[in-house]
Amino acid sequence: AMDAVISPLDSTPRARPAFLLAGQGAVSRLLIVSAALLVLLALAMVYGASVGSTPIPAGDVADALLQYLGVERGVDPSSATYRIVTVVRLPGMLVAALVGGALACAGAAMQGLFRNPLADPGIIGVSAGASLGVVLVMTQTAALADFWLFSRGPLGGALWRIPLAAFVGAMLASGTVYLLSLQRGRTNLAALLLAGVALNAVLGAINSVLLLRAADTNALRAVLSWLVGSLEGRGWDYFALAAGPIAVSAALMLLYARDLNLLALGEESAQALGVDVPRLRLVLLALASLLTASAVSIAGPISFVGLVVPHILRLIIGPDHRVLLPASLLGGAAFLVFADGLARSLLAPEQLQVGIVTALAGGPFFLMLLWRHRRQIALF
């Protein structure tokens, strides 16, 4: 028999949509999907390391990566192939995995928190808020060239201004959108989307003013490339910058998976079952904003990862956040590593920004979701 779900707006039971692994328990689903996603991540990394201005056979890439992990494959560490794979391309792929996992996990949490399928850090303006914070810091820093040096230069120690500014901007944006979307204590889907559209427009306009007033042409070009969403040139320093905040935020978010499940029953029901809903809202908004800000600070506002990945995973493993949140971390990592490889291969030897690839893939997906949920978004 199918489970019944009672909407907080309707007391009539309705059938829960089936998903692929509905017959499995939560632990079994987590193990199965984690194993599958780890395989996909490994394949995405082999693909990503094999494409680019210097194509490398996939078998040679796999051998180089295994050798790097300590599995003897007879690869000479001084060979050009080994150095290209492990020194040039591996750090960028790990940054892509980190950013993709953070955005997907933040998207899954926001969809559960707002209880609607269209919440995403980019769509509702959180990424735009983080971007404004970063652009404000970057354009108002006199020695921008030195500012981007991670371990040297007069402003090397000031690098943490970037993620800090991104977090402040993301938190302000998410709080603003959330307050504007509240209707009688519940989140109104139409208001959420409209507030996100308006906030994206306003913050985008402010970014444009800051960029037009920037005097450094090279800095302007770098900021514009970053605003599209780029992983070009990202290395170990970028990874070290964001790994800690993303790991801590994701781990803390997993502790609230049960509360997110209860919140799906409605805020009144969740409160009756012992969930401190106002506190849960604040904590999850802060954690989702920190995840988004950490990703945006090193890669720019890459769109639709937090929308596409959780939706696809729900069709496979269902809406249980105890499984969905860790699966989103792995799924987002695999998705963005593959998208980054695709961005480097489509116009090789030229390189597209990965944000362009995710926008081309996620835009039609978002329009499909809008069509599916058009009744819920009706304003009249």
Side-chain angles (χ1 to χ4, degrees):
M2 298 186 71
D3 295 332
V5 174
I6 300 179
S7 166
L9 302 178
D10 184 2
S11 60
T12 305
R14 53 187 174 85
R16 175 181 296 166
F19 50 91
L20 185 61
L21 299 180
Q24 303 291 327
V27 175
S28 298
R29 274 180 280 152
L30 181 58
L31 292 175
I32 292 171
V33 76
S34 296
L37 290 173
L38 284 172
V39 171
L40 288 177
L41 177 58
L43 292 175
M45 293 189 74
V46 170
Y47 167 71
S50 66
V51 298
S53 57
T54 305
I56 301 173
D60 295 344
V61 169
D63 287 338
L65 291 174
L66 290 172
Q67 183 87 16
Y68 184 81
L69 294 174
V71 180
E72 181 57 45
R73 300 296 296 173
V75 180
D76 183 5
S78 63
S79 66
T81 295
Y82 183 85
R83 292 185 62 81
I84 290 173
V85 171
T86 62
V87 177
V88 178
R89 294 179 181 172
L90 180 60
M93 291 190 300
L94 292 178
V95 170
L98 197 64
V99 170
L103 293 175
C105 188
M110 286 182 177
Q111 289 164 19
L113 177 63
F114 293 131
R115 292 189 297 142
N116 76 75
L118 300 177
D120 168 81
I123 294 170
I124 65 174
V126 180
S127 293
S131 298
L132 176 60
V134 175
V135 171
L136 185 63
V137 169
M138 290 171 66
T139 56
Q140 299 305 311
T141 302
L144 185 62
D146 290 328
F147 184 74
W148 277 108
L149 296 178
F150 278 34
S151 58
R152 61 189 186 278
L155 294 176
L159 177 66
W160 287 99
R161 292 179 188 174
I162 294 179
L164 178 61
F167 172 70
V168 172
M171 194 66 191
L172 290 174
S174 60
T176 300
V177 169
Y178 178 70
L179 290 175
L180 290 174
S181 66
L182 280 180
Q183 184 180 31
R184 298 178 181 177
R186 299 188 180 95
T187 303
N188 182 284
L189 179 55
L192 181 75
L193 293 177
L194 293 175
V197 169
L199 194 63
N200 275 315
V202 171
L203 297 182
I206 297 174
N207 277 336
S208 298
V209 172
L210 292 173
L211 293 175
L212 288 172
R213 293 178 61 85
D216 190 334
T217 304
N218 292 329
L220 178 61
R221 187 180 299 110
V223 174
L224 288 174
S225 176
W226 175 86
L227 281 173
V228 176
S230 175
L231 293 167
E232 186 176 1
R234 304 306 191 257
W236 290 117
D237 291 327
Y238 290 82
F239 183 86
L241 174 67
I246 288 176
V248 171
S249 302
L252 291 175
M253 192 171 282
L254 292 176
L255 298 178
Y256 291 92
R258 174 184 173 276
D259 291 343
L260 272 174
N261 288 343
L262 294 177
L263 192 62
L265 301 174
E267 294 178 0
E268 295 86 354
S269 300
Q271 195 86 39
L273 292 170
V275 178
D276 187 344
V277 174
R279 178 176 176 271
L280 179 65
R281 288 173 180 167
L282 179 61
V283 171
L284 288 179
L285 273 177
L287 292 175
S289 297
L290 183 56
L291 280 172
T292 303
S294 301
V296 169
S297 66
I298 61 174
I302 297 175
S303 58
F304 294 114
V305 178
L307 180 74
V308 173
V309 174
H311 267 280
I312 294 175
L313 288 174
R314 279 194 190 90
L315 298 176
I316 301 172
I317 59 177
D320 188 342
H321 289 88
R322 296 172 299 173
V323 183
L324 182 62
L325 290 177
S328 295
L329 280 169
L330 293 174
F335 177 83
L336 199 59
V337 170
F338 176 77
D340 182 50
L342 198 61
R344 286 186 283 110
S345 64
L346 287 176
L347 298 178
E350 299 295 327
Q351 179 173 338
L352 282 175
Q353 274 74 26
V354 68
I356 296 175
V357 175
T358 60
L360 290 174
F365 191 88
F366 178 63
L367 293 176
M368 180 196 72
L369 290 177
L370 280 177
W371 175 257
R372 285 185 57 189
H373 297 280
R374 62 192 182 280
R375 294 179 184 272
Q376 297 171 246
I377 303 174
L379 295 176
F380 303 102

